[in-house]
Amino acid sequence: MTTQMIPLMTASIGRLRQTHPLGRVIGASGGTIEVTGLTQHARLGDRTRVLSGAQTLVAEVIRIQGEVLHLLPEGSAEGISVGDAVRLDPPLIFAPVEGWIGRVIDPDGLPLDGRPLLPGLTGRNLRAAPPPPHQRRAMGARLETGFAVFNTLLPLVSGQRIGLFAGSGVGKSMLLADLARQVAADVIVIGLVGERGRELRHFVQEVLGPEGMSRTVVVAATSDRAPQVRRRCALAATTVAEYFRDTGAQVLLLIDSVTRFAEAHRELAVASGEPAALRGFPASTGPVIAGLCERAGPGADDSGDITAIYSVLVAGSDMEEPVADMLRGVLDGHVVLDRQIAERGRFPAIDVLRSVSRSLPEAATPAENALIAEARGHLGAYDRAELMIQSGLYSQGNDAVIDAAISCQAALEKFLAQRDKGGIAASFLTLRQILARPSNMTRAARAATDRNARD
């Protein structure tokens, strides 16, 4: 036993309580359990244990109505009867510590990888306020990502918060894992909200692997867990990131996905009596999402930064669905993954024209911004003329802009899928070489057009 473990074990033992307030079940309806006798002690969000014979059921306080508490259980309430005892648990102590790196935990800080785990000495609030706005630094330097497209056209900078908008099966999870392995950061925190149980082990062992896990904390709540646990997963992952940020570390926070976080919040809100509003989401969804995202970003004073990537599930690439629309308004950029691009074999399947990094133009030099604008111009020109080009209705020489776009389209497509471990400068050098080619071809096409006109 190391000397560092003794204070942690002492603190854990000191948090144990010998006595607990007790109440009684008086009814159950609509998936909730009604309890009396605890209103003088309980608060919203507190956890209780319903003791029914040999069965113990954990439940959370979601509504206080007069002398009655309404509890939402974290499992099936089958077998619970009127008169069963209900024990009020002490507040949850969530205390991240450096020893959590390389581990897989649940939103309560309990291990999911089969090995013992001790909490830290100081508990942290799962719903902490973000740093004061006037004390926060500006976004920092550009980060090396290992992808040419992120190194150039869609830069990621320290303290930036971006959304990754994608449907199912377009490579979202693989892209997140690649970023976790390759982005320059001291600590990676990954929140897997509502992930399929069989995918968790695969993601940790196969996708991330030992290299990725060596600097990573994974906080997971699988899809079979209760909504309060799934919602708490994103909050817990953010809290872990805040702990490391406050130690001065540069943290990369990946939340997959905010959509499932919002759906879990919707289940809780409806169970507590809040009416549904926009497409079934209650009015509190927007503030809850904004509160989660605002906790990431640049730190204050001597603390580090939290660079955050939030994935959003968009059905049929519908960027106007409620969660996607709410997120776009609070983030510093969004990256759209397109199914058609994925189907033609390009990974990452990023639709550059629909994606934006709000770190620009500050994150690049004037020369680099000119290259980015030129590349976007070629991609946009080809996109607008693609139907004519593919159907054979366009003839070279009719439009110099389209000619230039055609001449570099194949090279740009290859560039957007390029893994570039040479760094940001190498990525811009490659882009500069690609864009230098169409200028000569465009001049040749113009000369040919002029000769035809003279003839």
Side-chain angles (χ1 to χ4, degrees):
M1 180 185 297
T2 63
T3 55
Q4 291 86 350
M5 291 181 64
I6 295 176
L8 299 181
M9 294 179 65
T10 303
S12 296
I13 294 171
R15 294 180 185 125
L16 298 176
R17 285 190 180 180
Q18 295 181 335
T19 61
H20 302 269
L22 288 178
R24 295 288 174 183
V25 173
I26 61 171
S29 63
T32 62
I33 301 170
E34 298 169 7
V35 174
T36 189
L38 289 175
T39 52
Q40 299 301 317
H41 308 280
R43 302 169 299 175
L44 285 176
D46 279 353
R47 303 175 77 195
T48 64
R49 295 181 187 271
V50 184
L51 311 174
S52 179
Q55 178 184 5
T56 299
L57 181 65
V58 178
E60 181 176 313
V61 179
I62 61 170
R63 192 191 329 172
I64 302 175
Q65 196 170 25
E67 296 297 318
V68 178
L69 298 181
H70 294 260
L71 312 180
L72 187 66
E74 293 186 5
S76 173
E78 258 185 59
I80 301 300
S81 62
V82 172
D84 285 343
V86 180
R87 187 185 79 188
L88 181 65
D89 282 352
L92 176 70
I93 303 297
F94 189 81
V97 69
E98 283 79 1
W100 286 12
I101 294 177
R103 304 298 302 275
V104 183
I105 65 172
D106 74 1
D108 296 335
L110 301 176
L112 292 176
D113 51 13
R115 293 181 289 147
L117 181 70
L118 287 173
L121 296 175
T122 306
R124 299 182 71 97
N125 185 1
L126 287 182
R127 294 171 175 80
H134 64 281
Q135 294 181 10
R136 302 188 88 158
R137 299 186 299 272
M139 289 191 294
R142 189 163 51 191
L143 299 175
E144 165 62 37
T145 65
F147 287 97
V149 63
F150 286 112
N151 284 351
T152 54
L153 303 180
L154 298 170
L156 179 66
V157 304
S158 179
Q160 187 176 4
R161 302 163 304 170
I162 68 171
L164 187 62
F165 297 79
S168 58
V170 295
K172 168 180 57 66
S173 297
M174 185 63 70
L175 177 57
L176 287 173
D178 283 338
L179 290 172
R181 286 195 297 262
Q182 296 170 175
V183 170
D186 299 319
V187 180
I188 313 295
V189 180
I190 302 177
L192 299 178
V193 184
E195 188 60 78
R196 295 182 295 273
R198 64 179 179 82
E199 295 289 344
L200 176 57
R201 183 173 181 178
H202 171 74
F203 185 84
V204 171
Q205 294 185 353
E206 305 297 332
V207 180
L208 279 178
E211 178 187 356
M213 284 298 297
S214 64
R215 56 173 182 159
T216 300
V217 181
V218 177
V219 184
T222 52
S223 58
D224 62 311
R225 300 299 301 273
Q228 58 267 43
V229 181
R230 284 182 274 125
R231 183 177 70 171
R232 204 157 59 237
C233 180
L235 300 173
T238 304
T239 303
V240 174
E242 289 172 330
Y243 166 79
F244 287 105
R245 176 202 64 195
D246 292 346
T247 66
Q250 293 296 321
V251 183
L252 176 65
L253 171 65
L254 308 176
I255 301 292
D256 184 21
S257 70
V258 176
T259 303
R260 297 193 189 108
F261 168 77
E263 290 170 348
H265 173 76
R266 176 174 60 188
E267 292 180 53
L268 282 170
V270 171
S272 65
E274 185 178 354
L278 181 62
R279 295 195 196 178
F281 286 95
S284 60
T285 305
V288 166
I289 289 177
L292 176 72
C293 297
E294 279 298 323
R295 292 169 63 181
D301 301 325
D302 296 329
S303 66
D305 302 320
I306 300 176
T307 305
I309 301 176
Y310 301 97
S311 75
V312 187
L313 298 170
V314 288
S317 300
D318 181 13
M319 292 291 289
E320 304 304 320
E321 65 93 21
V323 176
D325 194 46
M326 294 171 193
L327 263 174
R328 282 204 312 271
V330 298
L331 296 180
D332 307 312
H334 54 272
V335 175
V336 179
L337 300 185
D338 186 83
R339 187 174 303 280
Q340 291 184 345
I341 296 175
E343 288 172 349
R344 66 174 185 248
R346 196 241 285 170
F347 175 83
I350 297 173
D351 187 338
V352 174
L353 297 177
R354 297 172 63 197
S355 303
V356 173
S357 173
R358 294 195 178 101
S359 65
L360 291 174
E362 290 81 5
T365 66
E368 291 170 343
N369 279 315
L371 285 174
I372 292 170
E374 186 177 352
R376 279 184 166 273
H378 287 318
L379 291 170
Y382 187 88
D383 182 71
R384 291 188 296 272
E386 184 173 13
L387 182 60
M388 289 192 302
I389 296 167
Q390 297 297 335
S391 60
L393 298 177
Y394 178 76
S395 299
Q396 186 173 354
N398 289 339
D399 189 307
V401 174
I402 297 177
D403 289 344
I406 294 173
S407 65
C408 66
Q409 176 64 20
L412 280 176
E413 274 287 308
K414 184 178 179 181
F415 176 78
L416 295 178
Q418 182 175 315
R419 306 289 187 97
D420 199 339
K421 295 186 177 180
I424 295 170
S427 297
F428 270 109
L429 177 60
T430 303
L431 182 60
R432 185 177 295 109
Q433 292 170 346
I434 291 172
L435 298 179
R437 301 171 193 168
S439 59
N440 296 328
M441 299 184 69
T442 302
R443 285 195 293 269
R446 287 175 176 171
T449 303
D450 293 340
R451 284 197 301 272
N452 292 335
R454 286 195 299 271
D455 293 342

